[in-house]
Amino acid sequence: MTAVVTIAALRAGTKEAAVPEDTDHDTVLDIRELSVRFGARTVVDRVSLRVRRGEVVALVGESGSGKSLTARSVAGLLPETARSEGSILLAGTETIGATEEQLRALRGTRAAMVFQEPQTALNPVQKIGTQLVQALRAHGRIGRAQARARAIELLRRVDIPEADRRVDWYPHQLSGGQRQRVVIALALSGEPDLLIADEPTTALDVTVQAEILDLLRTLQRRNGTAILFITHNLGVVAEIADRVVVLRGGRVVEQQPVRELFATPHDPYTRDLLAAVPRLPGTTTTATSPEVPAAPSSERAAEPLSEPTAASRSDFTATSRSERTVTSRPGAGAALRPELVTAPPVLGIEGLSVVYRSRGRTFQALREVSLTLAPREVIGLVGESGSGKSTLGRVALGLVPAAAGRVVLQGTALAGLPGRELRALRRNVALVHQDPAASLDPRRTVGESIGEPLQVHRVAGGSLLRAKVGDLLESVRLPRDYAGRRPAELSGGQRQRVALARALALAPRLLVADEPTSALDVSIQAQVLDLFADLRAEYGFACLFISHDLAVVHRVADRVVVLQGGSVVETGTATDVFVAPREEYTRRLVAAVPIPDPSARPAPAAEMHRCAPLAAGG
């Protein structure tokens, strides 16, 4: 059985090699030799781990590693076709083989789940107070008035402002971070011993993510709540976890206290995960120190052909036409040829304002925004939700009209342009969506999706079309025979590669990438970013790169534009903006980025929550 760390060892900063024979009274969750099978296929293979009261255990690994299935096994939420073996003791009760009635009694009171996407966890046609009252009354006998008072108390506990008023709001009236807080309040309604948080911050802006992590830490310290935290974001792991369990292919390859794991990872797979984490300037991790070198290539786990190890990065730097300077930093490219530095800009925006109107109401999405995008340049657009990032990208594509200002694409002003000319101009632009599963037609083959732009614009057909599709697949490091597959047959990283191939089919001069890596595992994200750099060198496109991950933006962007409430608050080279931000808003964004180094935390979580008194109940 895999070694498990005791509380005494955590306090002392050491780990034990052996597992105690019996579960101690502080153990909330004890998983022993858990296996989950779908027919003859084993997807979770003899996983063992423990979570103790007041402890945060992070479960990390790539998609398909078995993280979510392990967590869902705890509450008996596996698909009907799954078969589980082993032992899961939840607060002393065995859940493997338990009846549905027994499991319902445990759900919400012994263990509760916080899901990744709050929009799917909340009923959009019910007020949040109604949903909380229903959850409270399902957990025990309580009057409606008392349940409403308790619902308001729960909303206050998760820091929802004006809780007594917003209890009557619908989910769509709340921001993304507030919706996630409501989901956490629902999970707390049964006063559970264990919170299972499945990627609870993946879809959130960096500042909102920081707020949710602070909230979970507060609950951990104040209530002694145990948390099983599932994530692929190792920066978040460094911020919140006490211990880390690394899964690969359904098996535990390593588990250690968080500081030891980041400082001295034992398994080559763990070292590869840590090495793939993008970092802002000034952040370090002890795992890359000379004493603990990265795994040599001979030790690295073999990758399938469909997800190859990324090639070494090219050094090329795009230069801002407006700044007339060349940046040189890791991840940037080599200097542009002189004729490109002086070339006309691909995109020019001056005094742009955009206003949305609905049911007699108006909302100003952008306010007097100006920027210039040079050939081959990458500008990173950053800011919180509602800052106008995606609207700006859609304006550049000619999909959203300007209320005021001027937009010039490839030397042509978009205002008043006839539809036929606008369609012809759009041949030179392309969009890469956040979720390739939503942007690719599930009924079409990969080849049909990539070839569609070539057919629509009558560039190629027949054997020439098939040859061009094959060339595009190879350019994104996928085999040519993938043209016959459908999106459902591909992994997330493979689908994003297909989306890139489709976007590049017409060799666009401008690419708008809207959160293209936010849903990807850290190692696949690193491969896609390396691929992006190689494709930029090959195709020579300029790019508006939209993301809430500042470390990713720093890795790919030459300049950064910071948006707040539809206005530009700061712009400059990526290094200047992230190393020495001038504006307070930018400083708050940078400060909220999780640092992938647990030694940078103000104090170890394992000590902080154990020093605080434990409250009775929830």
Side-chain angles (χ1 to χ4, degrees):
M1 183 181 295
T2 309
V4 178
V5 183
T6 66
I7 292 178
L10 275 170
R11 287 173 175 158
T14 60
K15 56 183 180 293
E16 293 185 351
V19 178
E21 288 296 324
D22 299 318
T23 303
D24 60 67
H25 69 280
D26 274 333
T27 299
V28 174
L29 175 66
D30 188 359
I31 300 177
R32 302 190 184 193
E33 300 289 331
L34 172 67
S35 294
V36 178
R37 296 184 176 87
F38 289 88
R41 182 173 170 234
T42 301
V43 291
V44 176
D45 192 2
R46 292 173 294 175
V47 167
S48 297
L49 62 91
R50 286 183 183 173
V51 186
R52 292 178 169 83
R53 179 171 293 278
E55 183 181 33
V56 179
V57 174
L59 205 54
V60 304
E62 296 172 295
S63 294
S65 62
K67 306 186 301 292
S68 292
L69 285 174
T70 298
R72 288 175 177 270
S73 298
V74 174
L77 295 175
L78 291 174
E80 292 183 359
T81 54
R83 182 167 56 90
S84 57
E85 298 174 353
S87 173
I88 299 178
L89 287 175
L90 176 58
T93 300
E94 179 63 59
T95 66
I96 297 290
T99 65
E100 184 61 27
E101 183 179 356
Q102 291 171 324
L103 290 171
R104 276 199 301 268
L106 294 173
R107 293 171 189 151
T109 56
R110 294 301 185 184
M113 292 199 70
V114 178
F115 294 97
Q116 174 178 349
E117 183 48 70
Q119 287 175 308
T120 60
L122 297 173
N123 188 331
V125 299
Q126 283 189 339
K127 298 176 181 179
I128 61 173
T130 301
Q131 298 180 57
L132 282 165
V133 166
Q134 289 175 348
L136 288 164
R137 300 190 76 183
H139 294 315
R141 299 182 63 180
I142 183 173
R144 190 172 297 276
Q146 187 180 358
R148 177 181 170 85
R150 174 67 172 153
I152 294 172
E153 179 188 339
L154 284 168
L155 292 178
R156 287 179 179 144
R157 183 185 297 186
V158 296
D159 296 331
I160 294 290
E162 301 177 301
D164 53 347
R165 187 168 66 91
R166 300 196 183 195
V167 71
D168 292 319
W169 283 20
Y170 290 92
H172 73 270
Q173 295 176 276
L174 302 173
S175 68
Q178 289 172 342
R179 284 195 293 267
Q180 191 63 289
R181 290 171 185 273
V182 173
V183 172
I184 293 173
L186 280 167
L188 294 175
S189 63
E191 302 182 354
D193 300 304
L194 174 71
L195 271 183
I196 302 172
D198 192 353
E199 299 278 9
T201 62
T202 299
L204 302 178
D205 297 321
V206 62
T207 51
V208 180
Q209 173 182 266
E211 292 170 2
I212 296 298
L213 293 178
D214 284 341
L215 173 61
L216 290 173
R217 277 194 292 262
T218 299
L219 294 171
Q220 171 204 22
R221 293 194 297 265
R222 185 175 61 198
N223 302 337
T225 305
I227 300 176
L228 183 61
F229 196 99
I230 303 164
T231 185
H232 63 258
N233 188 328
L234 292 175
V236 169
V237 170
E239 288 275 329
I240 195 171
D242 299 321
R243 279 193 301 119
V244 186
V245 179
V246 183
L247 289 177
R248 186 187 191 192
R251 293 187 176 184
V252 175
V253 297
E254 181 168 359
Q255 61 175 301
Q256 290 199 70
V258 63
R259 291 182 178 232
E260 283 85 338
L261 183 118
F262 275 75
T264 56
H266 301 318
D267 194 87
Y269 176 70
T270 308
R271 293 199 286 269
D272 284 345
L273 286 181
L274 292 171
V277 179
R279 293 173 174 82
L280 284 178
T283 61
T284 60
T285 178
T286 49
T288 56
S289 63
E291 292 78 14
V292 189
S297 57
S298 61
E299 291 181 28
R300 294 180 185 270
E303 296 287 347
L305 180 61
S306 56
E307 295 289 351
T309 302
S312 58
R313 301 176 201 162
S314 303
D315 281 335
F316 58 89
T317 299
T319 305
S320 165
R321 182 171 178 269
S322 60
E323 293 164 355
R324 307 286 179 148
T325 58
V326 175
T327 61
S328 58
R329 56 182 175 77
L336 296 178
R337 298 193 304 273
E339 64 269 23
L340 290 179
V341 173
T342 57
V346 174
L347 176 69
I349 294 176
E350 183 178 352
L352 174 68
S353 294
V354 172
V355 177
Y356 291 122
R357 292 179 173 85
S358 177
R359 298 178 182 179
R361 297 182 179 180
T362 61
F363 171 73
Q364 188 156 6
L366 292 173
R367 303 170 188 270
E368 300 183 358
V369 172
S370 298
L371 63 84
T372 301
L373 181 65
R376 295 180 179 267
E377 184 182 27
V378 176
I379 290 182
L381 300 179
V382 302
E384 297 171 294
S385 293
S387 62
K389 305 186 301 294
S390 295
T391 297
L392 184 54
R394 281 158 175 73
V395 167
L397 296 170
L399 300 175
V400 174
R406 191 163 181 259
V407 181
V408 179
L409 179 63
Q410 293 281 141
T412 302
L414 297 185
L417 200 65
R420 179 178 296 180
E421 294 183 30
L422 181 59
R423 284 193 295 272
L425 193 61
R426 282 180 182 154
R427 174 175 172 170
N428 294 318
V429 300
L431 173 66
V432 180
H433 292 275
Q434 174 178 352
D435 185 2
S439 62
L440 298 174
D441 190 332
R443 300 166 297 180
R444 293 189 171 197
T445 65
V446 165
E448 290 170 341
S449 291
I450 295 175
E452 183 183 23
L454 296 168
Q455 289 180 304
V456 168
H457 291 278
R458 299 178 182 178
V459 173
S463 59
L464 178 59
L465 175 66
R466 290 190 292 273
K468 283 185 173 292
V469 167
D471 291 343
L472 286 163
L473 282 170
E474 287 189 344
S475 74
V476 296
R477 301 177 193 159
L478 289 176
R480 301 177 81 94
D481 60 11
Y482 270 44
R485 298 193 180 191
R486 299 191 187 277
E489 301 175 64
L490 307 180
S491 70
Q494 290 166 352
R495 285 194 292 266
Q496 195 59 283
R497 290 167 189 263
V498 171
L500 278 169
R502 175 185 167 88
L504 296 173
L506 297 172
R509 297 292 303 280
L510 170 64
L511 188 69
V512 176
D514 194 352
E515 300 279 9
T517 63
S518 64
L520 301 179
D521 298 320
V522 62
S523 55
I524 304 303
Q525 173 181 266
Q527 293 174 19
V528 170
L529 293 177
D530 282 339
L531 174 63
F532 176 85
D534 292 343
L535 292 172
R536 176 188 170 195
E538 179 180 351
Y539 287 89
F541 54 79
C543 181
L544 290 179
F545 194 97
I546 302 166
S547 180
H548 65 258
D549 191 326
L550 304 191
V552 167
V553 170
H554 178 264
R555 178 168 172 174
V556 303
D558 304 299
R559 279 193 298 145
V560 174
V561 173
V562 183
L563 291 165
Q564 181 187 21
S567 300
V568 174
V569 296
E570 185 164 356
T571 184
T573 66
T575 299
D576 287 345
V577 170
F578 294 140
V579 172
R582 299 185 302 273
E583 300 297 324
E584 177 60 28
Y585 177 72
T586 310
R587 287 195 287 269
R588 291 204 310 269
L589 287 179
V590 173
V593 176
I595 299 174
D597 183 357
S599 65
R601 290 205 303 223
E607 295 173 12
M608 290 172 65
H609 70 74
R610 289 188 177 92
C611 292
L614 301 182

